[in-house]
Amino acid sequence: MATLAALETATPHALLRLPYPEDALAPIISARTVGFHHGKHHKGYVDKVNELVAGTEFEGQALERIVMATSGKPDKTELFNNAAQAWNHAFYWRSLKPKSGGKPGGALADRIEAEFGGLDAFKKKLVTTSVKQFGSGWGWLVVDGDSLKVVGTANAEVPFTRGQTPLLTIDVWEHAYYLDYQNRRADYAQAVVDKLLNWEFAAENLARS
Ligand code: MN
């Protein structure tokens, strides 16, 4: 847990302020999509967590702790789903950077080269995994033991409940792209991977892992 980025620890849980203006990801992701996604969907998960934890053993706990404590517990599904989605979205906004389009540097670049056979091969794998995630979910670059891996998770699932440290994520729920791309998830994922990934954020997460 100590290896995860400290996204927020305050109680009540606060909606992460976007690290850039709503229109900063356009034309890859429109201001309208970001507005609904952050202001309605993400906020909805945060508000629901605050409602569900009030007066319970989970009040005052960080999101990561709530997610770990409720994962796989059938009687805690609603809290898990909302807490995990609150965490995933805070991580997603930080995984994106306006006008990125750049390349990773340093140790991250070396490891992508060594473990995926190059940046292009890595990008292809992240796009393919994100596109193939059936239904709603997430595409991720993670550290798993001594390796970097590209993985998908379904619905609200997070990699860290299975011991994987997230470095970057792409939201592939339809609400993330439908206004801009309709059913063309592959076009959205490809554009995000090519133009919006926040390599500095990934490198910070790798250094901490
Ligand atoms: Mn979303």
Side-chain angles (χ1 to χ4, degrees):
M1 296 300 291
T3 60
L4 288 170
L7 297 178
E8 57 85 35
T9 54
T11 299
H13 300 280
L15 177 66
L16 176 97
R17 273 188 60 151
L18 283 177
Y20 33 73
E22 280 188 2
D23 62 358
L25 304 179
I28 313 303
I29 303 174
S30 68
R32 191 156 175 258
T33 290
V34 174
F36 275 105
H37 197 177
H38 179 256
K40 302 291 184 188
H41 292 277
H42 186 178
K43 182 175 187 299
Y45 297 125
V46 173
D47 289 348
K48 193 69 185 175
V49 171
N50 285 326
E51 181 189 317
L52 291 171
V53 300
T56 76
E57 67 193 285
F58 299 106
E59 192 165 13
Q61 292 191 5
L63 278 182
E64 292 90 341
R65 189 173 290 273
I66 296 172
V67 169
M68 289 298 284
T70 57
S71 176
K73 306 256 173 71
D75 60 329
K76 298 284 192 292
T77 301
E78 188 181 17
L79 179 54
F80 171 82
N81 283 336
N82 283 281
Q85 282 293 80
W87 193 92
N88 285 339
H89 282 85
F91 198 83
Y92 170 67
W93 299 121
R94 297 175 69 189
S95 292
L96 306 179
K97 183 181 172 185
K99 297 180 173 56
S100 165
K103 297 178 177 180
L108 179 59
D110 294 344
R111 290 193 59 175
I112 285 175
E113 188 69 34
E115 298 184 41
F116 295 105
L119 184 60
D120 288 345
F122 159 72
K123 285 181 171 182
K124 190 173 179 187
K125 191 161 193 179
L126 182 55
V127 170
T128 302
T129 300
S130 299
V131 171
K132 284 187 176 174
Q133 178 60 45
F134 188 77
S136 296
W138 301 80
W140 304 84
L141 171 62
V142 302
V143 180
D144 187 354
D146 294 332
S147 305
L148 295 185
K149 284 185 183 164
V150 170
V151 298
T153 62
N155 300 315
E157 293 290 336
V158 301
F160 64 80
T161 55
R162 48 200 203 200
Q164 297 170 330
T165 303
L167 302 186
L168 284 174
T169 195
I170 302 176
D171 187 344
V172 291
W173 284 58
E174 283 189 346
H175 65 226
Y177 59 87
Y178 212 84
L179 291 175
D180 300 328
Y181 296 86
Q182 291 77 52
N183 62 325
R184 292 176 287 114
R185 183 191 285 187
D187 291 352
Y188 155 77
Q190 186 72 55
V192 167
V193 167
D194 285 339
K195 296 176 179 163
L196 291 182
L197 290 185
N198 187 343
W199 296 107
E200 293 83 2
F201 180 59
E204 287 166 22
N205 291 324
L206 178 62
R208 205 181 281 118
S209 73

